[in-house]
Amino acid sequence: MTTTASTTVPAYGAEEVQDAGYVDVLIVGAGVSGIGAAHHLRDQFPDRTFVILDAQDNRGGTWWTHRYPGVRSDSDLFTYGYRFKPWRGASIAAGEEILGYLDEVIDEDGLGQYIRCRHRVTAASWSTEDRRWTVEVTRGDTGRQLRFSTGFLWMCQGYYNHAKPYRPQWEGMDRFQGTVVHPQRWPEDLDLAGKRVVVIGSGATAATLIPAIAGKADHVTMLQRSPSYYFAPPTTNELAVTLRGLDVPEEWTHEILRRQYISQYDWLARTSMEAPDELHTFLIESVRPLLPEGFDVERHFTPRYRPWQQRIAIVPDGDLFEVLREGKASIVTDTIEAFTEHGIKVSSGEEIPADIVVTATGFNLSVFGDVAFTVDGEPVDFTRRVTWRGIMISGLPNMAYTFGYFRYSWTLRVDLVSDLVGRLLALMRDKGATMVVPTLRPEDADMQLRPWSDPENFNAGYVMRSQHILYKQGDREPWSHMLEHEQEREILPEVDLDDGTLVYR
Ligand SMILES: Cc1cc2nc3c(=O)[nH]c(=O)nc-3n(C[C@H](O)[C@H](O)[C@H](O)COP(=O)(O)OP(=O)(O)OC[C@H]3O[C@@H](n4cnc5c(N)ncnc54)[C@H](O)[C@@H]3O)c2cc1C
């Protein structure tokens, strides 16, 4: 078996730690969240010093990590784009276009000078006496150890480990003679011509990759254990075409389209809760006519979970269904028994021949970028901590995190959380406070702690695999999270930051 190469970090030995200085705000992560956080910070507090650290070789987070053929958004870019920066392209965008959009934000805001790539944050220690975080960093290129300090830590690290994708081990993998690839580490020189490719997985990644490679490979088989929901909207939004044809300012088009998409997401999120059976039927029936005559929709396209308990995979213009109709791709729904020398054997006894196997099997979830946190010398055990509105953590001073939506575009929450953090920093300044800590009130002492995600609500595999290492939520506000945008866009701008759950010193 050949697997794709991993990056090597030179060992630097017992090098002296280099003091990298103090910044007012230290942002971890240069993806959609970190770049958005930096924009809002600069906008509201032009005098504050800050830096953005990212472990990867380049900015972009998810869109830098995932560069497999066909990688694209599965949200519309009017809501996946920021509130403050109009999206000028088609509704669904390729990964490269999203990187281009982020680069424009970086250029327009002059953020480039503050982004330090190949800087992996390994530890963060809060000192109440010094009122600051000390942040330990390892450089990815030289292995050198750096030490930053900061008054406020803004974690924008995303939710999964970018360096180690999730790949289950199957029996016989070592005897497989072909190549095994993970979409998170796609080799640039992978030659697909004339190859039989098996893509293991049924989520958004499989759905975008398969149409992109189906014309190049000899044949592509999507091998799924169980089906996912799909929806096939057009890539181009007619309303955007009309507005652009009328020469309406791009800012207006952006705002109008945002409202259109947000109202659609509202409907989808509400219907998934209130009328899941109707939504289930709607989704299945919308893909049926796109499939070849007599296709076994019940077996291959009828999920066992409720819509939106996991993300709905978007198939713009139905391109996945097109390659199925053309016979360039096919689907097997079964469990893998073992890899063989030349393919994969499934429970039915069938052996699917393969030269290349793509494991589109998802992520290893990572809690706050695997940073080891301590507060006044005490290691932080996140499993015993509670979220404050999905933005801060109980007992962790001067630390906020940006985590987006699963059911709406992630970025809608980036703008909302940034507004709240801005208000928080302004309130601290007005109060003359140097420390803010989410703290359970006496009336919260007996609060029932609940898992990070209620499986009835959202149960994607990568979340369920990692619930045991995640922080908790309570049974009441503000100690809960996973509210939808429909509620949060009303609640967050009005949150009383002086309600006794945030303690200022
Ligand atoms: C292929 C794919 C398509 C997606 N499409 C959509 C979509 O269409 N719509 C949607 O809403 N969501 C989508 N998502 C979810 C997506 O992850 C979010 O939309 C968004 O990109 C997350 O941005 P982020 O900046 O919070 O995190 P990330 O993009 O994960 O970036 C976090 C960055 O932080 C860095 N980092 C982490 N830990 C450390 C550390 N310890 N030290 C230094 N740096 C660190 C990482 O290197 C990374 O660069 C998609 C996800 C994938 C994988």
Side-chain angles (χ1 to χ4, degrees):
M1 174 183 76
T2 327
T3 45
T4 53
S6 61
T7 43
T8 45
V9 176
Y12 217 75
E15 186 65 27
E16 225 177 74
V17 177
Q18 188 186 326
D19 182 1
Y22 177 88
V23 284
D24 295 324
V25 180
L26 189 146
I27 297 171
V28 180
V32 170
S33 300
I35 293 168
H39 166 88
H40 288 284
L41 185 69
R42 284 217 89 186
D43 194 40
Q44 293 177 54
F45 303 95
D47 298 338
R48 303 246 172 144
T49 55
F50 72 98
V51 72
I52 310 171
L53 305 182
D54 199 299
Q56 303 208 79
D57 295 342
N58 214 328
R59 71 352 182 180
T62 289
W63 304 105
W64 176 252
T65 305
H66 289 88
R67 283 172 289 157
Y68 56 81
V71 61
R72 64 188 172 202
S73 68
D74 58 5
S75 302
D76 72 277
L77 255 292
F78 297 97
T79 57
Y80 193 73
Y82 302 109
R83 179 177 72 201
F84 57 84
K85 162 97 181 149
W87 173 251
R88 294 184 156 78
S91 185
I92 300 291
E96 263 191 27
E97 294 175 284
I98 299 173
L99 286 175
Y101 174 85
L102 293 174
D103 282 343
E104 283 179 26
V105 175
I106 291 170
D107 279 352
E108 286 162 17
D109 286 352
L111 296 178
Q113 57 186 308
Y114 305 105
I115 300 178
R116 311 267 176 89
C117 291
R118 305 187 189 97
H119 281 58
R120 175 175 297 285
V121 177
T122 55
S125 319
W126 170 258
S127 159
T128 299
E129 195 182 337
D130 301 334
R131 294 291 208 265
R132 61 176 58 183
W133 288 98
T134 301
V135 176
E136 309 291 344
V137 171
T138 305
R139 285 199 54 152
D141 44 2
T142 60
R144 189 178 286 272
Q145 306 294 315
L146 307 182
R147 183 170 292 152
F148 288 80
S149 54
T150 184
F152 197 91
L153 195 53
W154 197 339
M155 298 298 297
C156 296
Q157 76 296 318
Y159 57 93
Y160 62 90
N161 187 320
H162 286 251
K164 291 195 199 96
Y166 175 66
R167 178 186 284 156
Q169 285 303 306
W170 289 282
E171 199 196 311
M173 275 183 98
D174 50 347
R175 65 171 175 251
F176 178 58
Q177 300 289 303
T179 304
V180 180
V181 183
H182 196 288
Q184 224 170 296
R185 319 295 297 267
W186 193 269
E188 273 176 30
D189 56 355
L190 187 68
D191 184 12
L192 297 162
K195 301 279 170 41
R196 294 158 307 173
V197 182
V198 174
V199 179
I200 304 175
S202 67
T205 302
T208 47
L209 180 66
I210 290 169
I213 62 173
K216 299 185 184 117
D218 177 51
H219 186 80
V220 185
T221 307
M222 174 165 146
L223 172 55
Q224 58 177 6
R225 193 169 45 185
S226 57
S228 301
Y229 287 104
Y230 294 93
F231 186 58
T235 303
T236 307
N237 182 302
E238 284 305 321
L239 179 57
V241 174
T242 306
L243 293 172
R244 284 170 180 159
L246 294 172
D247 224 7
V248 164
E250 282 294 346
E251 287 74 16
W252 295 14
T253 304
H254 189 63
E255 182 58 28
I256 292 167
L257 270 288
R258 274 167 79 81
R259 290 183 191 204
Q260 185 194 43
Y261 280 110
I262 286 171
S263 79
Q264 288 173 9
Y265 288 126
D266 286 348
W267 177 83
L268 258 177
R270 228 181 291 131
T271 312
S272 73
M273 294 295 168
E274 292 166 9
D277 295 343
E278 279 89 330
L279 185 57
H280 169 93
T281 307
F282 167 77
L283 291 169
I284 306 294
E285 293 313 317
S286 70
V287 302
R288 196 185 294 277
L290 304 174
L291 287 160
E293 196 61 38
F295 200 86
D296 191 346
V297 174
E298 277 59 43
R299 179 170 178 79
H300 301 303
F301 282 98
T302 308
R304 299 185 204 132
Y305 54 88
R306 225 180 50 218
W308 270 136
Q309 279 183 312
Q310 298 180 21
R311 284 183 81 101
I312 296 173
I314 296 297
V315 181
D317 298 327
D319 57 6
L320 172 67
F321 306 112
E322 191 179 325
V323 295
L324 288 170
R325 284 198 307 272
E326 292 169 349
K328 293 178 182 163
S330 52
I331 301 191
V332 173
T333 305
D334 207 337
T335 333
I336 296 175
E337 202 132 272
F339 276 56
T340 63
E341 282 189 359
H342 302 291
I344 297 177
K345 194 168 170 216
V346 291
S347 299
S348 69
E350 184 190 355
E351 184 175 337
I352 310 164
D355 306 302
I356 297 173
V357 171
V358 181
T359 52
T361 39
F363 313 108
N364 276 315
L365 201 132
S366 134
V367 184
F368 293 121
D370 298 322
V371 174
F373 280 85
T374 55
V375 172
D376 293 326
E378 284 293 311
V380 175
D381 174 358
F382 281 102
T383 64
R384 305 169 80 90
R385 305 283 173 149
V386 192
T387 183
W388 182 90
R389 297 190 185 280
I391 299 174
M392 297 176 82
I393 296 288
S394 62
L396 257 71
N398 295 18
M399 188 279 244
Y401 64 95
T402 296
F403 201 96
Y405 295 114
F406 284 125
R407 296 194 177 103
Y408 291 70
S409 286
W410 181 274
T411 319
L412 286 168
R413 197 161 193 272
V414 173
D415 286 324
L416 284 177
V417 169
S418 300
D419 289 343
L420 189 139
V421 172
R423 284 209 290 132
L424 183 71
L425 293 175
L427 185 63
M428 289 175 77
R429 177 194 57 207
D430 297 347
K431 281 176 176 287
T434 48
M435 185 167 165
V436 55
V437 201
T439 307
L440 298 187
R441 299 160 298 192
E443 64 262 39
D444 298 324
D446 63 343
M447 184 168 66
Q448 191 80 36
L449 293 192
R450 298 184 296 156
W452 190 88
S453 177
D454 173 2
E456 270 302 301
N457 181 5
F458 189 79
N459 62 18
Y462 55 90
V463 172
M464 292 301 109
R465 280 196 298 275
S466 305
Q467 287 265 55
H468 62 286
I469 55 167
L470 281 158
Y471 47 88
K472 303 285 191 296
Q473 55 175 325
D475 58 10
R476 66 197 68 161
E477 280 196 45
W479 307 112
S480 56
H481 63 174
M482 305 269 276
L483 287 177
E484 298 302 347
H485 182 255
E486 190 171 14
Q487 293 111 43
E488 280 205 324
R489 64 179 177 251
E490 305 293 333
I491 294 173
L492 289 186
E494 299 296 325
V495 161
D496 177 4
L497 298 176
D498 226 349
D499 67 347
T501 58
L502 296 180
V503 174
Y504 300 84
R505 285 154 68 184

